[in-house]
Amino acid sequence: MSAHTSTDQLRIGAHTFSSRLFVGTGKYKDLEETKAALIASGAQVVTVAVRRVDLSAGGEGSLLGFLRERGITMLPNTAGCFTADDAVRTCRLAREILGESFVKLEVLGDPKTLFPDVVQTLEAAKILVKEGFTVLPYTSDDPITAKKLEDLGCAAVMPLAAPIGSGLGVRNPYNLEIILDTVKVPVIVDAGVGTASDAAIAMELGCHGVLMNTAIAGAKDPVLMASAMRKGVECGREAYLAGRIEKKLYATASSPLVGVIGSKHQ
Amino acid sequence: MRIQVNGEAREVAEQITVRGLIEALGLASVPVAVERNKDLVPRAQHEATQLRDGDELEVVHFVGGG
């Protein structure tokens, strides 16, 4: 890796990360597979969900222990919440468990599309910022909402690439570009990535990171996909930093045009 | 007295505290957070918070999620 990219860090609130791939910890076959995939992904931030303890089974703390051991930052989410009120309560509980105020705010609008309810998201963000949380909100790819979330004090914005778990990839690169042009906080693409090239595309656009779960956990070989995603994010980032060439309709020769033998096409 | 824990009715001793309930549930060593009637009970207050008949409690922890 060049000197340029090794000093390339992502800053969100008080946190600094060298990996720009955020991964979820849901849907894996078992804890061992989760751990192996997390290691292969190189992720320094992983999301976790807040759920009722199954009182018949007791609590399981092994994932938590593993994440703490490896120094991985936990980003509790409010997945499954459909109201600002439930999301705020969930964040307060998460802070109580972890002693940290870093949260992924997600307020869903409908169970079929899992699109965010941006009105509820904005309302929850306002309360959470006031309560001192570092808020990373999942949102639609609407630049106006992204700007409002930034203005409320969110530490990043996380527009979707496509519906959660759909694997459709970046469906609206133009809106993401407008969001990147509109807000100053980091833009993390959250949801919709299907494969490594999708992650690379998001990063090539200039997004500051990508968050995914299903694309890795649902792959035939999740550990290998985690490794592919790590590379996809890294190569997309490097290509963005390198600055791609302009697209042109006609060819531009790569070899010198002078000194060619023969006399055709002169 | 009767309380609700995670949506289930449960019979507990009179004057039980939040801390006492966590222990009775076998969760003393698990990182959990507790809500009582929709208000968070900070860890520092678990010992001093006495439950009342009809209280509704949520006891949550972290699980894998995206």
Side-chain angles (χ1 to χ4, degrees):
Chain A
M1 204 178 275
S2 74
H4 190 145
T5 50
S6 63
T7 56
D8 177 38
Q9 306 250 302
L10 171 61
R11 284 186 185 81
I12 301 178
H15 301 259
T16 305
F17 307 107
S18 53
S19 165
R20 291 170 181 272
L21 173 59
F22 294 16
V23 300
T25 53
K27 293 186 174 177
Y28 288 95
K29 192 175 68 193
D30 52 33
L31 187 64
E32 287 317 303
E33 190 183 74
T34 312
K35 290 180 183 176
L38 292 186
I39 293 168
S41 75
Q44 294 172 316
V45 180
V46 307
T47 58
V48 290
V50 178
R51 289 293 179 269
R52 283 174 164 171
V53 174
D54 179 353
L55 296 175
S56 55
E60 95 33 58
S62 32
L63 176 66
L64 212 69
F66 168 77
L67 297 173
R68 282 196 169 132
E69 227 168 75
R70 294 194 69 93
I72 295 173
T73 299
M74 276 174 264
L75 181 63
N77 68 26
T78 64
C81 290
F82 285 82
T83 64
D85 185 47
D86 283 350
V88 169
R89 282 170 60 201
T90 302
C91 288
R92 288 175 184 150
L93 286 164
R95 174 153 71 182
E96 185 64 20
I97 298 172
L98 206 53
E100 296 275 346
S101 305
F102 203 42
V103 289
K104 170 183 162 179
L105 172 63
E106 173 177 333
V107 189
L108 302 172
D110 116 74
K112 188 174 178 184
T113 61
L114 299 180
F115 280 143
D117 182 327
V118 296
V119 176
Q120 295 288 315
T121 303
L122 286 162
E123 202 178 308
K126 196 173 177 179
I127 298 166
L128 291 169
V129 169
K130 216 172 274 174
E131 293 187 10
F133 284 92
T134 300
V135 184
L136 283 66
Y138 161 66
T139 182
S140 60
D141 59 9
D142 168 31
I144 306 299
T145 305
K147 181 74 177 108
K148 285 185 180 178
L149 287 164
E150 177 183 50
D151 289 346
L152 285 175
C154 291
V157 291
M158 305 208 292
L160 53 82
I164 294 172
S166 70
L168 288 173
V170 178
R171 292 203 303 186
N172 195 339
Y174 304 103
N175 269 31
L176 290 180
E177 277 189 67
I178 296 173
I179 290 173
L180 285 162
D181 217 30
T182 306
V183 302
K184 290 185 187 70
V185 292
V187 177
I188 316 285
V189 162
D190 180 4
V193 164
T195 188
S197 56
D198 296 335
I201 286 169
M203 295 307 294
E204 284 170 11
L205 287 170
C207 294
H208 302 87
V210 181
L211 196 165
M212 63 182 75
N213 188 344
T214 308
I216 295 175
K220 284 203 181 79
D221 184 340
V223 180
L224 189 56
M225 186 57 91
S227 164
M229 289 299 188
R230 174 190 198 149
K231 292 168 188 159
V233 167
E234 281 175 5
C235 90
R237 178 66 182 172
E238 288 189 12
Y240 169 74
L241 292 174
R244 60 154 298 150
I245 61 163
E246 292 294 317
K247 290 181 183 177
K248 285 179 289 191
L249 191 56
Y250 290 101
T252 310
S254 303
S255 305
L257 292 174
V258 293
V260 179
I261 60 166
S263 59
K264 276 189 176 172
H265 308 300
Q266 286 195 349
Chain B
M1 63 180 182
R2 224 169 157 70
I3 60 169
Q4 290 256 338
V5 184
N6 291 354
E8 288 171 26
R10 199 168 265 265
E11 198 67 40
V12 292
E14 298 288 325
Q15 303 195 331
I16 193 170
T17 62
V18 170
R19 180 72 205 161
L21 177 71
I22 290 173
E23 281 167 8
L25 294 171
L27 300 173
S29 60
V30 181
V32 295
V34 180
E35 229 186 31
R36 179 196 187 199
N37 302 326
K38 299 193 175 178
D39 285 321
L40 179 79
V41 185
R43 200 175 307 274
Q45 290 167 30
H46 283 189
E47 203 119 13
T49 307
Q50 282 207 356
L51 301 182
R52 295 211 184 99
D53 192 49
D55 273 354
E56 289 179 13
L57 290 118
E58 295 287 350
V59 183
V60 301
H61 66 158
F62 284 149
V63 299

